[in-house]
Amino acid sequence: MSEHITPVRTYVIIFLALMVLTAVTVAVAFMHLGPFNDIVAMGIAITKASLVILYFMHVRQSSRLTKVVVVAGFLWLLFLFGFTMSDYLTRGMIMLQSPVG
Amino acid sequence: MQGEANHAWGLQHHFDSFDQQREASFLGMWVFLVTEIMFFGGLFTAYIVYRASQGEAFALGSHELDITLGAINTAVLIGSSLTMALAVWAAQTGRRKAIVGFILATLVLGGVFLGIKVVEYSAKFEHHLVPGPNFHWDGPEAPGVEMFFNLYFLMTGLHAAHMVIGMGILLVVAILAWRGAFTPENHNLVEGIGLYWHFVDIVWIFLFPLLYLLGRNIQV
């Protein structure tokens, strides 16, 4: 099994897609969408990052072991965010009686 | 079984084949990048925590950033990722001068990015937006805005430091490429620094919306 060589054409297409997505995210930032501003901005950022990882970083053609390592890295990042925010965002929910009264 | 005598040039003695050597290098680089994800992840977590409690202050702080320069820098960095990917392609296809050319293009674009960053940073110093004794904010939510700029300088500063290190390594790899150190079978250094450079690009892909675009639609 020799190395898979991605054609230049693919790199250029991915580059153009990344540029278009950048323009879209800037344009959307000026619209009034309430909480959807963040959701759209992060959705576009995740899409861009995925394109870079899969095509520029050759993870698409990599071994399963490498894919597991990459996915595990981002999964643990989500654990970090998730467990931290499950603490910070729920602190006001439990109203304990103060012992001092 | 291969003896030392007929072991191919560029193939380390502890690997059986170039494929195995390349796979080990690729996987090893990704394991390092996973530690980098967690390294930046701490700062992103801090951002999420403070943003959750001081969203308005963060939007006010975000308004002080130059969205035009931020967008230009995003495009410049994506362009540098393209030239980096093409440098790896040149190495895969055995184009020695093209490797050097594409790495130099990557270095130029990286330099443009850092130059624009210097312009942005100096504007923040002039406007007293750098956290510390000289921080000055007339509007509301001053402590929250200062926290936004703390995170702005930490996150973009760590990102810029990664770029400076990456450019130093790229320069060395360009010299090695010029000397003919890489072959289509063995160019793991080019691929490795490429992965690192794309990772730095990905960090910026998230920093740009989180720092520059946030609260752009809010009237201040």
Side-chain angles (χ1 to χ4, degrees):
Chain A
M1 189 186 84
S2 79
E3 188 176 19
H4 182 278
I5 297 174
T6 309
V8 171
R9 193 184 130 84
T10 306
Y11 289 130
V12 174
I13 290 169
I14 297 300
F15 166 75
L16 292 174
L18 291 170
M19 291 303 235
V20 169
L21 286 169
T22 303
V24 170
T25 196
V26 171
V28 171
F30 287 95
M31 297 175 186
H32 297 264
L33 303 174
F36 288 100
N37 273 113
D38 273 342
I39 294 168
V40 172
M42 283 302 100
I44 291 175
I46 290 167
T47 307
K48 286 166 76 182
S50 304
L51 288 175
V52 173
I53 290 167
L54 288 173
Y55 292 92
F56 282 179
M57 298 173 90
H58 302 149
V59 168
R60 198 164 155 265
Q61 294 101 19
S62 71
S63 65
R64 285 193 180 182
L65 177 61
T66 308
K67 285 184 178 125
V68 168
V69 168
V70 175
V71 171
F74 286 101
L75 187 64
W76 255 257
L77 185 66
L78 291 180
F79 287 164
L80 180 65
F81 294 160
F83 283 114
T84 306
M85 294 320 287
S86 69
D87 172 3
Y88 276 99
L89 292 180
T90 55
R91 285 188 180 185
M93 285 182 181
I94 304 165
M95 303 302 264
L96 290 172
Q97 193 71 46
S98 164
V100 186
Chain B
M1 277 290 284
Q2 272 183 306
E4 280 293 326
N6 57 10
H7 216 63
W9 182 81
L11 180 62
Q12 300 289 313
H13 67 88
H14 48 280
F15 290 116
D16 285 335
S17 65
F18 281 111
D19 280 334
Q20 191 191 37
Q21 179 171 269
R22 183 168 51 238
E23 169 68 15
S25 166
F26 193 82
L27 180 62
M29 196 61 203
W30 260 108
V31 169
F32 167 68
L33 291 182
V34 167
T35 72
E36 288 273 81
I37 291 170
M38 300 315 284
F39 185 25
F40 277 96
L43 283 173
F44 279 102
T45 307
Y47 173 93
I48 296 171
V49 168
Y50 281 101
R51 167 91 190 271
S53 61
Q54 311 190 44
E56 203 182 323
F58 271 42
L60 288 169
S62 173
H63 258 272
E64 297 298 317
L65 299 183
D66 192 326
I67 192 170
T68 311
L69 290 182
I72 292 171
N73 256 354
T74 307
V76 167
L77 212 50
I78 290 171
S80 79
S81 256
L82 175 67
T83 56
M84 189 65 241
L86 292 176
V88 176
W89 169 83
Q92 288 172 333
T93 52
R95 293 172 164 84
R96 183 177 68 96
K97 285 182 182 168
I99 305 174
V100 179
F102 283 125
I103 288 180
L104 289 180
T106 308
L107 282 169
V108 168
L109 289 167
V112 169
F113 180 95
L114 290 176
I116 290 176
K117 213 73 214 131
V118 168
V119 172
E120 285 190 85
Y121 276 4
S122 51
K124 299 293 164 287
F125 275 95
E126 279 171 28
H127 298 145
H128 298 282
L129 290 171
V130 180
N134 289 324
F135 183 81
H136 182 76
W137 183 260
D138 281 325
E141 308 260 7
V145 175
E146 190 169 11
M147 180 52 77
F148 173 82
F149 279 103
N150 262 313
L151 285 166
Y152 167 76
F153 279 104
L154 269 172
M155 295 171 104
T156 59
L158 188 66
H159 177 265
H162 273 77
M163 289 196 61
V164 172
I165 294 166
M167 288 168 74
I169 300 170
L170 272 176
L171 197 61
V172 174
V173 173
I175 294 167
L176 289 172
W178 182 254
R179 289 181 183 167
F182 306 116
T183 60
E185 294 81 29
N186 175 37
H187 51 264
N188 292 330
L189 265 177
V190 187
E191 173 91 41
I193 186 62
L195 289 177
Y196 178 90
W197 194 262
H198 297 310
F199 169 79
V200 173
D201 187 19
I202 289 171
V203 172
W204 184 260
I205 282 173
F206 285 98
L207 287 181
F208 175 58
L210 289 177
L211 296 173
Y212 290 78
L213 300 183
L214 149 78
R216 193 54 54 174
N217 53 333
I218 296 170
Q219 300 293 323
V220 178

